[in-house]
Amino acid sequence: MRKALLKLIDFFYPPFSTWLSLHTFRYIASGSATSATGVIVYFLVYNLILKQQDVQLGSLLVTAPIAALAIESLITFTIGFTLNKYLVFTKSNLKGRVQLFRYGSVVLTNILLNYAFLKVLIEAFGFYPTIAKFLTTVVLALFSYFSQKHFSFKVKN
């Protein structure tokens, strides 16, 4: 499966080879796939599963956009870690559990930033939730790349 996915990603690399390294291109491809999956899952959960209705958990009210974010985050965490570990950062010599913990730390930071950005964009500025999610994803993709490269999957000397 790994070889087939790398072959597919690498097939699209030549037009970008003058601007990007293969490693960076693979990160962008796998990150884009994870992000696109996240936006699609978010849309489906928000509109079809939650039907844009807030969720009452005991005395806690969770707004539909935030509930959709929580569900989407569980799914994209698994997809993102798997793609990064086995397709992008294969040279990292950190133990898998260390990578997972560090990846989880970065993802948790992204979730908190996602939460904050969504709250501001949706509630303060009145953005439609799926549009707010898309904009937030673009901003956090840059943060995530550098965090994963230099922290979660770094190569120890």
Side-chain angles (χ1 to χ4, degrees), residues 7 38 72 79 86 91:
K7 189 180 262 189
E72 175 257 332
I79 294 168
Y86 295 106
K91 294 184 180 180

Side-chain angles (χ1 to χ4, degrees), residues 106-128:
V106 173
V107 168
L108 181 60
T109 301
N110 273 355
I111 290 170
L112 295 174
L113 290 172
N114 243 319
Y115 175 82
F117 290 167
L118 285 176
K119 282 293 220 186
V120 169
L121 290 174
I122 294 165
E123 295 177 13
F125 296 114
F127 279 66
Y128 184 75

Side-chain angles (χ1 to χ4, degrees), residues 14-145:
F16 302 96
S17 63
T18 56
W19 300 290
L20 300 170
S21 69
L22 180 59
H23 179 266
T24 302
F25 183 78
R26 286 178 177 174
Y27 181 82
I28 291 170
S30 61
S32 296
T34 303
S35 294
T37 301
V39 171
I40 292 166
V41 168
Y42 184 88
F43 175 84
L44 294 173
V45 169
Y46 178 75
N47 290 295
L48 301 179
I49 295 172
L50 298 175
K51 297 182 174 46
Q52 301 180 9
Q53 300 297 308
D54 296 341
V55 177
Q56 188 75 41
L57 298 173
S59 62
L60 178 67
L61 177 68
V62 181
T63 62
I66 300 307
L69 173 64
I71 294 166
E72 175 257 332
S73 295
L74 293 172
I75 294 166
T76 56
F77 177 86
T78 305
I79 294 168
F81 179 75
T82 303
L83 292 177
N84 277 301
K85 180 172 178 54
Y86 295 106
L87 297 182
V88 181
F89 298 105
T90 57
K91 294 184 180 180
S92 175
N93 49 12
L94 297 175
K95 292 185 178 194
R97 67 178 183 270
V98 173
Q99 291 174 342
L100 181 63
F101 177 78
R102 289 181 177 194
Y103 183 84
S105 299
V106 173
V107 168
L108 181 60
T109 301
N110 273 355
I111 290 170
L112 295 174
L113 290 172
N114 243 319
Y115 175 82
F117 290 167
L118 285 176
K119 282 293 220 186
V120 169
L121 290 174
I122 294 165
E123 295 177 13
F125 296 114
F127 279 66
Y128 184 75
T130 305
I131 301 297
K133 174 62 178 154
F134 177 77
L135 294 172
T136 299
T137 298
V138 170
V139 170
L140 293 180
L142 292 169
F143 167 75
S144 183
Y145 173 73

